[in-house]
Amino acid sequence: MRQSTITRKTAETDITLTLNLDGTGRSSVDTGVGFLDHMLTLFARHGRFDLTVTCRGDTYVDDHHSTEDVGIALGDAFRDALGDKRGITRYGSELLPMDEALVLCAVDISGRCTLRYGLTPPAQKVGTFDTELAEEFFMAFCRAAAVTLHLRQLDGTNTHHILEAAFKGFGRAMRKAVAVDDAAAGEIPSTKGVI
């Protein structure tokens, strides 16, 4: 069963997150950060991951700690659910349009943390959400999951659309990367023999 439940409690946040890699896209997300809830719901739906997240954080300060720590918890859950990564496809990519926005997302479940963040949303906020926190979320995820992630904005003028395309593309790219490769069942997808 490729599932994981993560609990993370700090002085700033209290998070419980459950992930099923082989789900149907059902989600229940309550992070206290409305825009992040929307993005994670899209991520789960387009990745076909079953995802439950609750976070109680110090949003009276701002949304930074909750956004970053949810990224850490999600990365921890992927790393745990994948185990030794035996039999996975490892790589996934998606070129995703969202109205005028176009975002390329490519992922390598490499065992190494790299984020190349090429999104340039024009607005500093979507509602009350600071758009710079999207990069913090993705960096936290990459560090915790030990993956390489490239996000490139190829077009777009609407900040909501750009970030939505990124999260949808991220879900679809991760779906491809964690998929079991029937032709390589039981194999570690690396010449090193370990990821």
Side-chain angles (χ1 to χ4, degrees):
M1 299 291 284
R2 302 193 312 157
Q3 300 180 29
S4 179
T5 297
I6 300 295
T7 56
R8 176 181 171 83
K9 188 173 178 65
T10 72
E12 298 163 339
T13 60
D14 186 353
I15 297 169
T16 301
L17 184 149
T18 300
L19 172 71
N20 178 357
L21 298 181
D22 302 307
T24 60
R26 290 177 303 205
S27 63
S28 174
V29 181
D30 179 11
T31 67
V33 181
F35 186 75
L36 182 61
D37 291 353
H38 179 43
M39 294 298 103
L40 291 175
T41 300
L42 296 171
F43 167 78
R45 174 69 177 193
H46 287 271
R48 295 192 57 81
F49 305 122
D50 290 346
L51 179 65
T52 302
V53 186
T54 59
C55 174
R56 297 296 165 258
D58 59 355
T59 53
Y60 61 88
V61 175
D62 67 8
D63 295 338
H64 186 111
H65 297 140
S66 292
T67 301
E68 182 178 31
D69 286 7
V70 168
I72 292 168
L74 185 63
D76 284 343
F78 268 91
R79 193 170 190 170
D80 182 53
L82 286 168
D84 67 2
K85 302 165 188 72
R86 194 172 298 276
I88 65 167
T89 302
R90 179 177 164 176
Y91 299 97
S93 63
E94 188 73 22
L95 182 61
L96 199 130
M98 173 68 198
D99 294 345
E100 88 300 339
L102 183 63
V103 173
L104 170 67
C105 177
V107 65
D108 174 13
I109 301 176
S110 60
R112 298 180 302 277
C113 164
T114 302
L115 174 64
R116 300 295 288 167
Y117 188 83
L119 304 183
T120 56
Q124 293 182 342
K125 285 190 178 285
V126 176
T128 61
F129 183 79
D130 294 317
T131 56
E132 69 181 13
L133 295 180
E135 184 173 5
E136 294 297 323
F137 171 86
F138 286 116
M139 178 54 77
F141 176 86
C142 289
R143 287 179 178 144
V147 303
T148 293
L149 175 63
H150 289 257
L151 288 165
R152 286 283 176 273
Q153 178 184 331
L154 304 178
D155 203 351
T157 56
N158 180 287
T159 297
H160 189 129
H161 293 167
I162 292 163
L163 295 177
E164 185 166 330
F167 275 85
K168 287 178 175 176
F170 178 49
R172 289 183 172 265
M174 287 298 294
R175 176 181 173 186
K176 292 173 184 175
V178 304
V180 174
D181 182 352
D182 291 333
E187 297 177 14
I188 300 292
S190 171
T191 55
K192 297 180 181 72
V194 64
I195 293 181

